[in-house]
Amino acid sequence: MNKEIRKRISEVTVKLSSCSSELQSICDDEDYARNRMPENLANSERYEASENCSDVLEDSISDIDDVITSLQELT
């Protein structure tokens, strides 16, 4: 692998890291909104959808972080 390829991989890694951070911020906002829901909505469809959203976001963040780790091993 040449220097140019390493540079491009590094640039992608930076972009992925930014995406991961943005998704974490979105997840934090979703968690905050869910935690502020009234107790009578605790078992509602809306609450469950919010939990599902957070779970998917957390899984996605973890997947992106795994890709970042793999790419960093190349550079």
Side-chain angles (χ1 to χ4, degrees):
M1 177 179 353
N2 64 31
K3 185 177 178 179
E4 179 61 29
I5 299 274
R6 279 192 210 94
K7 179 181 174 192
R8 289 172 59 197
I9 290 171
S10 181
E11 289 168 354
V12 169
T13 302
V14 169
K15 291 175 186 176
L16 287 170
S17 181
S18 177
C19 290
S20 179
S21 295
E22 181 65 21
L23 287 173
Q24 184 62 59
S25 177
I26 293 167
C27 187
D28 292 345
D29 290 346
E30 185 65 27
D31 290 345
Y32 179 77
R34 186 176 57 256
N35 289 332
R36 293 184 45 87
M37 282 185 189
E39 285 185 36
N40 63 334
L41 294 178
N43 293 318
S44 68
E45 243 181 79
R46 184 175 169 193
Y47 189 90
E48 288 180 21
S50 177
E51 279 187 320
N52 184 54
C53 177
S54 290
D55 290 344
V56 169
L57 287 168
E58 288 171 3
D59 289 345
S60 298
I61 292 163
S62 179
D63 291 346
I64 291 170
D65 291 346
D66 288 346
V67 170
I68 290 169
T69 299
S70 294
L71 291 173
Q72 287 173 333
E73 291 174 3
L74 293 175
T75 56

